[in-house]
Amino acid sequence: MKIVSVVGARPQFIKAAAVSRVLRAKPGLQEILVHTGQHYDENMSDIFFRQLDIPQPDYNLEVGSGSHAYQTGMMLKGIEDVLLKEKPDHTLVYGDTNSTVAGALAATKLHIPVAHVEAGLRSFNRLMPEEINRIVTDRISDILFAPTLTAINNLKNEGLEKNTVFSGDVMYDSVLFYREMVVSGGKKYMTAGLPASYFLATIHRAENTDNPENLRNIFLAFSQIGQAVVLPVHPRTARLLKTEVSIPANVIIIDPVGYLEMLWLTMNAEKVLTDSGGLQKEAYFLGRQCITVRTETEWVETLHDNWNIVTGQDPDKILEAVRSAKPQASQRQDFGTGSSAGIIAETLLRLR
Ligand code: UD1
Ligand code: UDP
């Protein structure tokens, strides 16, 4: 059986690391990896392949940055060429980026079954490009691997339950697998030169970066936290920091880091402030309270007992959440058992 997996953006490398490892251990299963080139900086792409031992892509389409239409269109064409040549039994796509929707659309038009990992997530906010990508991808996919029961329900509400499989969350697989490496590595994955006590922040979503007022409000809140805020900066945000905000003295901007360094930073943070989907979950898995500077979250399972507080961009709400008590209750097992990749591989093999 041959599977073409399509990845392109940072969180997809982390998801694919878990799944590729299991797929490639299955006898009779061949995986061809396509990198669209959506992310291409060393520390947004290559570092993950190296660090997480992901096989080098068989194809790199080198699409790079551009408008949604440009990027998706170029990917469609490149992925179609690969699919025509490789003739796989399935195409595997991850998450909700432009690389996801391009992979799904190219494959389904060639009548190649599409499997979507992290299906069924909904913010119910169609202003988010990711929401459009998710809706389209789920609608045209043949197998929907849902990470949570909320995702299953969302798919059911859209009449898609027939194709749905509860897999659990592959990012949970990755955290469980790599956490041991980070813990046993001692200081190996510690980023040098940072204070012992800090809040960890990441900001990159369009609703925050493309809206200068939101960006300024978030940094205003950061400036009043009264402790260091370490911010590994996404290149999209880095460009704007030069023009749209003045960086408060307590905010330490660092380059994007590798996944293992990021796990270390998360495990050792006071709290996490973010608009990232992946980091909200990692904070939860690693027992760190998260403050989500968006108006909604798809990961509603993280909200119980104030493990994740959704504040929007209002500085007062952000600061209130920063000062709130840390959760006392334990996290729940809502994201599967850490064996999602195995469920995905077994399901695909059964469909052979
Ligand atoms: C994309 C995804 C988003 C995901 C994020 C993960 C879409 C629509 N969005 O957003 O869902 O959360 O990836 O990080 O697919 N850039 C660089 N170097 C790089 C990559 C990007 O400089 O290696 C800069 C470019 O200026 C580019 C901008 O970042 O225009 C945005 O990159 P893009 O891939 O279009 O979207 P992200 O914001 O990364
Ligand atoms: N991440 C990383 N280095 C960084 C910032 C984030 O390895 O400097 C990881 C983070 O731990 C998580 C993933 O990238 O696993 C999340 O990706 P991102 O926030 O870019 O996208 P999203 O999850 O919002 O789609």
Side-chain angles (χ1 to χ4, degrees):
M1 168 184 246
K2 194 192 264 190
I3 293 176
V4 164
S5 299
V6 179
V7 295
R10 173 167 67 186
Q12 292 167 330
F13 309 139
I14 293 154
K15 292 165 198 174
V19 179
S20 282
R21 190 181 325 110
V22 175
L23 287 183
R24 287 174 191 239
K26 297 275 177 205
L29 206 156
Q30 185 193 4
E31 187 191 33
I32 305 285
L33 195 57
V34 179
H35 186 332
T36 63
Q38 177 168 354
H39 287 175
Y40 44 86
D41 289 347
E42 202 310 299
N43 56 14
M44 293 294 288
S45 176
D46 286 3
I47 192 171
F48 298 99
F49 285 80
R50 252 195 342 268
Q51 209 174 50
L52 309 185
D53 213 12
I54 309 169
Q56 278 307 303
D58 299 279
Y59 298 88
N60 190 327
L61 306 178
E62 297 183 353
V63 166
S65 304
S67 70
H68 286 276
Y70 168 84
Q71 209 175 44
T72 314
M74 295 298 285
M75 288 174 189
L76 262 174
K77 181 171 177 341
I79 297 167
E80 184 181 63
D81 290 344
V82 173
L83 294 175
L84 284 170
K85 183 163 165 231
E86 296 291 346
K87 300 186 176 47
D89 300 290
H90 286 280
T91 298
L92 196 55
V93 297
Y94 293 88
D96 54 18
T97 73
N98 290 345
S99 300
T100 316
V101 74
L105 202 48
T108 199
K109 290 270 183 111
L110 294 172
H111 308 152
I112 298 165
V114 180
H116 182 202
V117 175
E118 211 178 77
L121 272 287
R122 296 290 181 271
S123 64
F124 304 102
N125 174 1
R126 289 211 185 188
L127 294 176
M128 288 177 71
E130 292 85 357
E131 184 76 352
I132 310 295
N133 292 343
R134 293 172 190 140
I135 291 170
V136 173
T137 303
D138 284 340
R139 194 69 191 83
I140 61 180
S141 291
D142 300 273
I143 313 167
L144 299 165
F145 289 113
T148 59
L149 293 182
T150 305
I152 299 245
N153 265 331
N154 290 337
L155 292 168
K156 199 168 164 193
N157 290 339
E158 294 176 24
L160 298 173
E161 68 269 36
K162 186 168 66 70
N163 300 342
T164 302
V165 175
F166 177 74
S167 59
D169 193 327
V170 294
M171 288 193 97
Y172 186 44
D173 293 23
S174 279
V175 166
L176 293 184
F177 188 84
Y178 293 106
R179 179 175 64 183
E180 297 314 314
M181 211 183 273
V182 175
V183 170
S184 60
K187 293 190 169 174
K188 186 171 172 201
Y189 299 108
M190 183 176 101
T191 304
L194 298 179
S197 174
Y198 59 88
F199 285 70
L200 175 66
T202 73
I203 301 293
H204 76 281
R205 290 296 175 129
E207 71 193 86
N208 289 327
T209 55
D210 293 1
N211 180 328
E213 195 187 336
N214 283 351
L215 199 61
R216 281 187 215 118
N217 277 335
I218 290 168
F219 275 81
L220 178 62
F222 287 176
S223 74
Q224 292 170 21
I225 285 180
Q227 269 198 64
V229 176
V230 173
L231 192 148
V233 70
H234 190 288
R236 178 190 192 107
T237 317
R239 275 185 300 140
L240 291 151
L241 292 187
K242 295 193 183 111
T243 52
E244 299 299 340
V245 283
S246 51
I247 302 183
N250 65 321
V251 176
I252 304 169
I253 307 276
I254 60 173
D255 286 336
V257 295
Y259 180 65
L260 301 178
E261 287 78 8
M262 194 63 185
L263 289 184
W264 195 97
L265 281 171
T266 307
M267 284 178 198
N268 290 285
E270 284 296 315
K271 297 188 182 189
V272 171
L273 298 122
T274 193
D275 56 10
S276 160
L279 188 54
Q280 285 177 61
K281 289 182 288 173
E282 285 159 5
Y284 183 75
F285 301 149
L286 296 169
R288 288 292 172 272
Q289 190 179 36
C290 184
I291 296 145
T292 298
V293 291
R294 286 181 43 201
T295 45
E296 68 277 308
T297 180
E298 299 80 10
W299 300 106
V300 293
E301 285 80 1
T302 60
L303 294 172
H304 72 93
D305 297 296
N306 273 355
W307 275 107
N308 187 5
I309 306 176
V310 177
T311 59
Q313 296 83 7
D314 178 343
D316 293 335
K317 287 198 179 139
I318 297 173
L319 287 168
E320 197 184 317
V322 162
R323 289 177 188 137
S324 68
K326 289 185 185 170
Q328 297 302 312
S330 314
Q331 303 97 307
R332 299 176 185 152
Q333 280 286 327
D334 288 333
F335 294 86
T337 57
S339 49
S340 308
I343 294 171
I344 290 167
E346 289 301 331
T347 307
L348 292 173
L349 276 170
R350 264 203 309 277
L351 292 170
R352 191 200 308 233

